Amino acid sequence: MSRITVPTVPDDADIYRSWRQLLTDLDTAAEGHRALAGPELGQGAVVEVPPGTLLLVVDERRTGWAETRLGRPYPVMDAAVALHLVHTDGTLQPLWQRRFAQAKSMFGAAARKMLDKHLTAHPQPADPEVEEITPGPGRPNIKAEPCVWCSTTVAVRAGRLLGRGPDAVVEHRRGSCPAPGPVTAGAPCALCQAAAAPQTAHYVQIRQAPGPGRWEVQHVGTCDQQPTLEQYEQRQATLAGQRAAEQEQEAKKKAAAAQRKARADEKKAARAAAAREAAGANARAVEEHGFISAVDVQTPYDKGVRGSGPTAARMRIVERALALGDGQSVTAWDVEVHGPQADEFADAPGRFYLLEDARAEYQRHSWTADLPAYPSTRSSAPLPATCPTPDVDHCGNCGTTVAIGGWMIASLGLSCPDCYDVMPGEPGRHDLRYHRQR
């Protein structure tokens, strides 16, 4: 077989009226292109054909317009016809070519005589074997029509035209015909006759002229690479047994973990009950015997609960060792609040003999900001404050010259720390009252 690339249609030629075909015989009783026998080839396709085959190439070009007797316009076409001989190495040897001024006369007596001469010199088989390796663009269909192979509609320019005139048909490009669906497990492969396992076979379209085509079940890839249905079922049974064993082992592991957790929870609950009982015993001992001294052991928890800076209030848990009157020593945890605002947490302090109880009381309180209540600059009256001398930098909102520190200070002409959310950037109440800044 010789592999050739079918010549493409030139840009200036009419792609719908140009065609390529293998020439195998001439019908002396027919007229025009109907006298030519042989399979049509798509322009630009890579095909394998027998060596010594004759390839006919026809390119038609529009040269103008004419009118019928009824006044309807139609294009006037010329035609370039070339006959090639296919060699063993795939090269194309030109045997004859001619340009016809009118395409309708290109297969007259002279042209038929020349074609018959070359057919006599190079006898052709009646049905040459043609295998399409790579489909070319071919002639796209100009309207939606049923596919000659699968009978489903081919969208405009989604397929290829075969034949000419009233004999023209449309086909899907190879591999584009919609398959019947997934292959049913157990369907026999057309190549090896073995029952196909699930997802190992697909439908392959067999196109044999004149159509329609038929579908065959074939293994994906090569048949020896795919398991049979029996092998697949045996493998699935083995995998199912392995999964069942793994699930059983996993269930045993989960049951053992649940038992360990239950035992750990029981031990934890027993320890918690013992600790609470011991805490109650310590509380009763302190109440009965009193304590002589208390020694701070550590402060495991400490946090702020109100405001910041020197006026902040902080809450702590202090662990203390209490020496009782009967010589015993017990541990207590005291929740304490320190700072100028400690009186606001009078209900918080307490002594606990179990750390968990102390932590619960400690976590019940969270930090709250100790921010001043700012009067609205839009609705409240200006502050009745005297203005410092103009040479002294002071806050434009409240007039103060005192700077406690921080990144905004009145000595720089900015707002004071108490008014930082109002100034600078706009006149404050002090500016509006004393300096008339609008």
Side-chain angles (χ1 to χ4, degrees):
M1 298 292 284
S2 300
R3 180 171 296 188
I4 64 171
T5 301
V6 181
T8 57
V9 176
D11 294 338
D12 60 341
D14 189 327
I15 194 171
Y16 295 104
R17 297 173 181 266
S18 303
W19 79 90
R20 286 93 175 92
Q21 77 172 82
L22 298 182
L23 181 63
T24 60
D25 198 4
L26 280 176
D27 185 359
T28 57
E31 296 182 357
H33 67 271
R34 292 183 177 84
L36 308 176
E40 182 178 351
L41 303 179
Q43 60 106 4
V46 178
V47 297
E48 288 187 351
V49 298
T53 303
L54 294 178
L55 175 63
L56 183 66
V57 177
V58 178
D59 291 318
E60 296 190 20
R61 295 171 175 81
R62 190 182 67 195
T63 58
W65 293 90
E67 290 185 356
T68 65
R69 288 178 296 177
L70 300 178
R72 295 178 180 176
Y74 67 91
V76 178
M77 310 295 293
D78 72 357
V81 182
L83 186 66
H84 301 273
L85 176 65
V86 178
H87 287 281
T88 305
D89 59 357
T91 57
L92 302 179
Q93 176 188 350
L95 298 179
W96 170 72
Q97 57 185 5
R98 182 175 173 181
R99 189 76 172 258
F100 294 89
Q102 293 188 1
K104 61 182 180 180
S105 63
M106 61 179 161
F107 294 117
R112 290 192 184 200
K113 183 177 180 180
M114 185 61 65
L115 294 177
D116 186 64
K117 169 187 173 182
H118 289 291
L119 281 171
T120 303
H122 306 281
Q124 300 294 308
D127 188 15
E129 182 180 356
V130 179
E131 182 177 357
E132 188 177 64
I133 306 301
T134 303
R139 291 181 295 143
N141 57 312
I142 57 178
K143 60 181 180 179
E145 293 184 21
C147 174
V148 67
W149 303 114
C150 66
S151 301
T152 58
T153 302
V154 184
V156 176
R157 304 188 68 85
R160 297 190 301 183
L161 276 174
L162 299 177
R164 290 163 298 282
D167 300 329
V169 294
V170 178
E171 70 170 4
H172 280 108
R173 300 186 185 278
R174 189 170 294 275
S176 299
C177 287
V183 176
T184 305
C189 173
L191 301 179
C192 65
Q193 305 306 317
Q199 300 180 353
T200 61
H202 60 165
Y203 282 105
V204 176
Q205 189 182 56
I206 306 301
R207 294 184 174 184
Q208 294 177 343
R214 59 185 176 86
W215 294 94
E216 283 187 355
V217 175
Q218 295 183 9
H219 278 117
V220 178
T222 59
C223 295
D224 56 354
Q225 293 177 338
Q226 302 294 350
T228 63
L229 181 60
E230 182 180 358
Q231 294 171 341
Y232 173 82
E233 291 176 346
Q234 291 176 354
R235 184 182 303 173
Q236 290 299 110
T238 302
L239 293 176
Q242 293 177 353
R243 285 193 295 269
E246 292 174 356
Q247 292 174 357
E248 182 179 358
Q249 188 68 19
E250 187 68 21
K252 290 181 179 180
K253 290 182 180 179
K254 290 183 177 179
Q259 292 177 358
R260 289 194 298 270
K261 185 177 183 302
R263 289 195 295 269
D265 291 343
E266 291 177 0
K267 292 180 180 179
K268 183 178 179 181
R271 288 195 298 269
R276 188 163 295 279
E277 183 178 354
N282 289 340
R284 291 191 295 271
V286 172
E287 183 178 358
E288 180 180 354
H289 302 289
F291 64 92
I292 302 174
S293 63
V295 179
D296 292 355
V297 178
Q298 61 177 341
T299 304
Y301 301 97
D302 186 344
K303 68 180 179 181
V305 290
R306 176 62 60 83
S308 61
T311 62
R314 301 193 67 80
M315 179 176 288
R316 302 185 181 97
I317 296 180
V318 182
E319 180 182 351
R320 289 190 171 94
L322 306 180
L324 305 185
D326 63 348
Q328 298 183 59
S329 178
V330 299
T331 301
W333 285 270
D334 294 335
V335 179
E336 302 175 350
V337 181
H338 302 271
Q341 303 182 61
D343 294 343
E344 300 183 17
F345 298 87
D347 62 332
R351 171 159 291 177
F352 303 89
Y353 295 93
L354 191 63
L355 178 58
E356 284 74 11
D357 295 342
R359 288 183 59 189
E361 174 62 25
Y362 179 80
Q363 293 172 353
R364 190 170 65 88
H365 302 274
S366 59
W367 181 84
T368 57
D370 188 14
L371 300 177
Y374 298 120
S376 172
T377 58
R378 295 184 178 180
S379 59
S380 61
L383 293 174
T386 58
C387 182
T389 61
D391 298 333
V392 177
D393 291 330
H394 53 275
C395 177
N397 188 57
C398 65
T400 182
T401 60
V402 178
I404 300 176
W407 60 279
M408 280 189 173
I409 55 177
S411 60
L412 292 180
L414 304 176
S415 65
C416 63
D418 292 334
C419 301
Y420 72 94
D421 64 339
V422 177
M423 297 289 290
E426 61 181 16
R429 288 176 292 175
H430 179 85
D431 291 333
L432 296 175
R433 179 180 179 90
Y434 293 104
H435 303 289
R436 302 300 180 187
Q437 295 184 13
R438 302 292 181 183

